[in-house]
Amino acid sequence: MLNNILIFTGAGASVQFKKPATREFRQKLSKKYEGSELMKSFLDCPGFDDIEHVLESLKDFELAHNNHMTHYLKNATLPSIVSNTGDFFTKLTRERENIRSDIMEDLFQTYKWNEIDNENTREFYGNLFTITSKYSSKIFVGTTNYDQAIEQACALSNLRYECIDGFEHYQNDISKWNGKKFTEEFNGQGMPVYLYKIHGSLNWKYDGTGNIEKNSRDVGYERGSGENVLIAPTLSPKTAQSKEPFLTLLTELKNKLEKVDACIVIGFSFRDKHIGELFQKFIEKGKNFIVISKSGYVNYCDYLFEQKFSSDEARNAWIRKHRTGKKIFFIHERVEQDNNRNVFTKLEEILSKISKESKSTKNQEKSNPNLSELTELVSELPPEPFLNISLPKSIYHNGDSIKAKISYNGLSIGETILIGVHDPKNKLIDSKRLQVKVDKGEIELELFVIKNWRRYGKYRIEISTQFGPESY
């Protein structure tokens, strides 16, 4: 048993419920507003990859509205080449709030919960919570998503899982915000699922007296009223996080990341820097960090650690070095209905492994009380598997054999290593499956090249274990 697990979900976790990621949402709006020249100029602006960039630009314009450069562009006698700039700023000043409100209305409409997805969300989160609860006495979930997927999954579980989201029932379909619910003793029948919706929810709103209420159903967007309790999808920093309920939600998430042994991140792009900083600290402490995402390596490098690379080879090399001394696991899969069984199988293998290692460490500490002190001293350098492959030459031809030597350390006895040769089109042309008999050592093996390496491009050697692929 681990010392509890925290799950963190981003937009990619809800794509399977027909909720688009922010990039797809921008593309959807671009088609809808084909006839609106001003709106299209934002939605189709080069470099604005998703709706976050669009809303961020509108926020920037609002903040800069009274600065000196804006005054100059609106009032100066400009060269003829930019003579229409003043008209543009006047029009944008007048239309900016309408553009933002139109986008937010579409956001509420797009991400509102549809009951036809109840069964899918019940199945996905039911299976995820079932696996997690084998290794954790409590379930903590943080999310940047606005939809009600997790609340619905708990409501449909027949009290097996009960959602604690910081609200307490008031009357009829209304609940009132009470952040103390997160720290109160749980007296429910099922397993508590503590939910931290750090960017708010479509069914939260201010009631006009300063209190926050939650409706059992999604509420509409109130144009210009400020009643919706939701942080718009903009880039960091998000100033609203200094206000309630966001301050309490983010504080609770920080506290839980300090205490849990493992964090499972599903479908998150790592572009929110304030969340990324929390994850960086978690990783550097040597805790178990599991990323489930089809583009996990790319987003992890590009956004979480701001390491951008021009090739997969360079990125993989950085990842191999970065993972040394850390407990980072990647499941390179998209969560979707026809693939979730595969995702959950890999997740359970990882959780089982780290749980056994945790149990082994605790047993050693019990038999040797001084070991816990020693563990603290070396916690910054925990053992971590590595795999290296050495090839006698770099060019192979038709019919040649590859006599490779693989050295490794820190793998579990009985674990399977899969070694494969891939052609330039990523087709597997030969492979060997070996079982680890000792936790470190060297393996010599022979694989065969079917096509001319020099003529057809670079072949790729890939070594796969449950820790993810390593390419050479």
Side-chain angles (χ1 to χ4, degrees), residues 313-378:
E313 289 81 2
R315 182 180 292 108
N316 291 344
W318 184 87
I319 282 285
R320 283 196 297 273
K321 183 178 180 180
H322 167 75
R323 290 168 70 180
T324 302
K326 302 179 181 69
K327 298 177 182 178
I328 307 168
F329 308 85
F330 289 92
I331 298 177
H332 298 267
E333 304 281 355
R334 181 188 293 273
V335 286
E336 51 193 5
Q337 293 173 37
D338 59 356
N339 190 49
N340 285 336
R341 179 176 294 182
N342 184 37
V343 171
F344 290 140
T345 297
K346 293 182 178 181
L347 176 61
E348 185 148 26
E349 287 176 356
I350 293 172
L351 290 176
S352 176
K353 176 181 175 57
I354 62 179
S355 178
K356 288 177 182 177
E357 290 178 349
S358 176
K359 183 177 180 180
S360 175
T361 300
K362 290 176 181 178
N363 287 339
Q364 291 179 40
E365 290 177 356
K366 287 181 180 179
S367 61
N368 185 357
N370 295 326
L371 184 62
S372 59
E373 298 179 10
L374 178 63
T375 301
E376 290 181 7
L377 292 175
V378 300

Side-chain angles (χ1 to χ4, degrees), residues 77-257:
T77 302
L78 301 173
S80 59
I81 192 171
V82 290
S83 60
N84 64 343
T85 304
D87 293 338
F88 169 74
F89 267 77
T90 300
K91 185 175 182 179
L92 183 55
T93 301
R94 184 173 62 249
E95 295 295 329
R96 177 189 57 81
E97 186 54 40
N98 287 334
I99 292 173
R100 183 184 183 281
S101 292
D102 286 344
I103 292 174
M104 293 303 294
E105 281 187 352
D106 281 296
L107 184 147
F108 270 69
Q109 186 65 28
T110 299
Y111 293 98
K112 72 177 182 180
W113 191 251
N114 194 326
E115 291 184 358
I116 64 173
D117 294 314
N118 279 356
E119 181 57 28
N120 292 335
T121 190
R122 184 195 64 79
E123 181 178 358
F124 175 76
Y125 282 106
N127 288 330
L128 178 62
F129 293 161
T130 296
I131 293 171
T132 306
S133 62
K134 293 180 182 180
Y135 308 97
S136 180
S137 60
K138 294 179 181 179
I139 299 174
F140 304 104
V141 183
T143 185
T144 53
N145 296 343
Y146 308 125
D147 61 58
Q148 292 195 59
I150 297 167
E151 297 96 312
Q152 290 298 319
C154 292
L156 295 167
S157 70
N158 294 322
L159 297 180
R160 183 177 182 183
Y161 303 107
E162 297 188 42
C163 184
I164 311 297
D165 61 0
F167 287 85
E168 59 182 349
H169 183 258
Y170 176 62
Q171 62 182 16
N172 300 325
D173 293 335
I174 303 298
S175 298
K176 295 283 188 178
W177 171 253
N178 179 7
K180 294 179 180 179
K181 297 295 291 183
F182 289 123
T183 56
E184 290 180 359
E185 183 177 354
F186 176 72
N187 295 313
Q189 300 180 37
M191 172 174 276
V193 175
Y194 293 88
L195 176 61
Y196 312 109
K197 300 185 80 170
I198 58 173
H199 287 176
S201 184
L202 298 185
N203 61 331
W204 298 359
K205 63 184 298 185
Y206 295 104
D207 65 359
T209 65
N211 295 317
I212 304 163
E213 63 182 29
K214 178 184 73 172
N215 198 300
S216 61
R217 296 182 179 274
D218 292 335
V219 296
Y221 178 65
E222 303 286 345
R223 293 179 75 102
S225 69
E227 290 184 0
N228 298 104
V229 185
L230 180 145
I231 297 178
T234 56
L235 304 176
S236 297
K238 293 178 168 60
T239 55
Q241 286 173 338
S242 61
K243 305 175 183 177
E244 289 295 341
F246 308 112
L247 180 60
T248 293
L249 291 164
L250 191 58
T251 300
E252 287 293 326
L253 181 69
K254 288 179 181 178
N255 292 340
K256 294 303 177 290
L257 282 170

